Amino acid sequence: MRQDEIQVACEAILQRLDDYIDRELSADDVLMIERHLEECFDCASQYRFEIRLIHDIRARLRRIALPGDLMTRIRLRLDAETVG
């Protein structure tokens, strides 16, 4: 595969990486991306970075104390927006 073809393939994979991480792709697309990640160090590195970032953000969010009435306030605001 030529360098420009590799670059085009990598760009296509990286554009779909979020959907892959969120499990929003077809089985065929998942397989295609997994094969590419097995062969391409740069794309696999980007994938690992994004997974670590998501993990770190989730861990930090778990440590944030939320007000006890937050869900009630959200529902009230959504109801007001829907009616209004």
Side-chain angles (χ1 to χ4, degrees):
M1 191 179 269
R2 295 185 340 227
Q3 185 62 32
D4 59 332
E5 291 173 332
I6 293 170
Q7 185 175 357
V8 168
C10 290
E11 288 174 11
I13 294 298
L14 293 176
Q15 287 177 355
R16 306 199 67 200
L17 201 53
D18 288 336
D19 292 334
Y20 173 75
I21 291 169
D22 294 337
R23 298 178 183 150
E24 296 179 353
L25 297 176
S26 69
D28 289 339
D29 287 341
V30 167
L31 185 59
M32 175 193 63
I33 289 176
E34 287 175 348
R35 285 182 180 158
H36 183 86
L37 293 176
E38 289 173 0
E39 298 172 0
C40 180
F41 176 80
D42 291 335
C43 289
S45 178
Q46 181 65 33
Y47 168 73
R48 286 189 303 274
F49 169 80
E50 291 192 25
I51 290 295
R52 278 192 313 270
L53 179 63
I54 290 169
H55 174 75
D56 290 346
I57 290 170
R58 286 181 180 157
R60 289 176 189 230
L61 288 174
R62 282 188 211 109
R63 293 188 298 239
I64 297 173
L66 299 175
D69 68 336
L70 180 62
M71 288 305 293
T72 301
R73 292 188 348 223
I74 291 172
R75 284 190 188 107
L76 289 172
R77 180 165 276 175
L78 285 173
D79 289 345
E81 297 268 332
T82 303
V83 173

